Amino acid sequence: MKSFLIAPCGMNCSICMAYLRDKNKCPGCRLFNKNEPVTIAKCKIKNCATFKKSKSKFCFECEEFPCDKLKHLDKRYRTKYNMSMIENLENIKKLGLREFMKNEKIRWACSQCGGTICVHRGYCYNCRKKV
Ligand SMILES: [Zn+2]
């Protein structure tokens, strides 16, 4: 896993549907350029002016952390996908990015084939095993 795959909001891009799919693949929030027709162009956090101005690498470094935009996104993911961006950010802050990524790799690995479980779909993109 590459460190640029952890988005400013704490999202792990490597478990995202848009990153895992074969067609119209997103390279991840940090590499995304707006000529590519993916949903992330609409992301309020990626396009957040306060965050850009703060020159932070992650939202927790921003003066407005945790802002309403992030809290809203976090709530949606906690409810729908059983994942929390804010929790991710707190772990990055506490453990460091390397350790966080190590844990993420274990957390989202398919027990059957070692492939990656998609947070949005809830199954392994390699063998389609459900979690
Ligand atoms: Zn699998």
Side-chain angles (χ1 to χ4, degrees), residues 50-96:
T50 314
F51 179 77
K52 276 184 187 157
K53 208 174 67 194
S54 73
K55 296 200 164 61
S56 313
K57 195 154 190 260
F58 292 103
C59 284
F60 66 76
E61 295 163 324
C62 177
E63 56 181 23
E64 285 181 12
F65 176 79
C67 68
D68 288 343
K69 288 188 284 276
L70 183 63
K71 277 195 258 186
H72 183 82
L73 180 72
D74 183 74
K75 194 183 174 190
R76 189 155 63 87
Y77 268 76
R78 268 190 289 121
T79 316
K80 255 181 117 171
Y81 306 118
N82 197 26
M83 190 213 96
S84 162
M85 272 92 183
I86 292 177
E87 193 184 282
N88 282 359
L89 286 168
E90 276 160 1
N91 281 327
I92 294 167
K93 195 177 175 184
K94 196 168 70 188
L95 309 167

Side-chain angles (χ1 to χ4, degrees), residues 109-117 123-130:
C110 170
S111 60
Q112 191 163 278
C113 76
T116 306
I117 309 289
Y123 60 69
C124 168
Y125 248 67
N126 189 42
C127 72
R128 306 275 146 166
K129 180 184 155 64
K130 283 243 176 211

